[in-house]
Amino acid sequence: MIARVWGAIATEKGADAYRSHFEGEVLPSLRRLNGHRGAYLMERDTEGAVEIEVVTLWESMAAIRAFAGQDVDTAVVEPAAREALTGFDDTVTHFTVVLDTVN
């Protein structure tokens, strides 16, 4: 399994808007893709901002290519997400999951 990790920054209101977008638009789209195995949306409050980390789980790099295109290291950030965020990473990081204890 491959974990695709991406980060962003938002205001509190923006983080709420991003969460709503992620739940209502992103997750349903991801669930329709072959090879998608799940996702985590994580937040951490900092001084005046909310840090956001998104981890999506994939069966293979081929499954990621079906989602992201040939340039798998470029983040896929939809217009609605861009509006909600004050900043975000342009790239993602991929990790091979070597141990999974989540049931």
Side-chain angles (χ1 to χ4, degrees), residues 10-21 23 43 50 52 84:
T11 63
E12 188 174 315
K13 183 178 177 181
D16 290 344
Y18 181 78
R19 187 179 323 114
S20 177
H21 168 71
E23 287 180 300
E43 296 179 353
V50 178
I52 298 169

Side-chain angles (χ1 to χ4, degrees), residues 4-82:
R4 179 177 167 93
V5 182
W6 172 78
I9 301 288
T11 63
E12 188 174 315
K13 183 178 177 181
D16 290 344
Y18 181 78
R19 187 179 323 114
S20 177
H21 168 71
F22 191 82
E23 287 180 300
E25 302 296 325
V26 176
L27 283 179
S29 294
L30 292 176
R31 288 179 176 136
R32 289 190 291 271
L33 296 174
N34 289 332
H36 173 64
R37 296 291 175 250
Y40 292 96
L41 173 60
M42 300 174 289
E43 296 179 353
R44 181 172 80 116
D45 290 333
T46 61
E47 288 185 35
V50 178
E51 291 182 23
I52 298 169
E53 286 288 316
V54 177
V55 179
T56 55
L57 302 171
W58 301 89
E59 182 178 282
S60 64
M61 289 305 291
I64 293 171
R65 270 187 217 86
F67 162 68
Q70 287 302 311
D71 188 3
V72 295
D73 293 328
T74 297
V76 177
V77 187
E78 297 174 343
R82 291 174 186 265

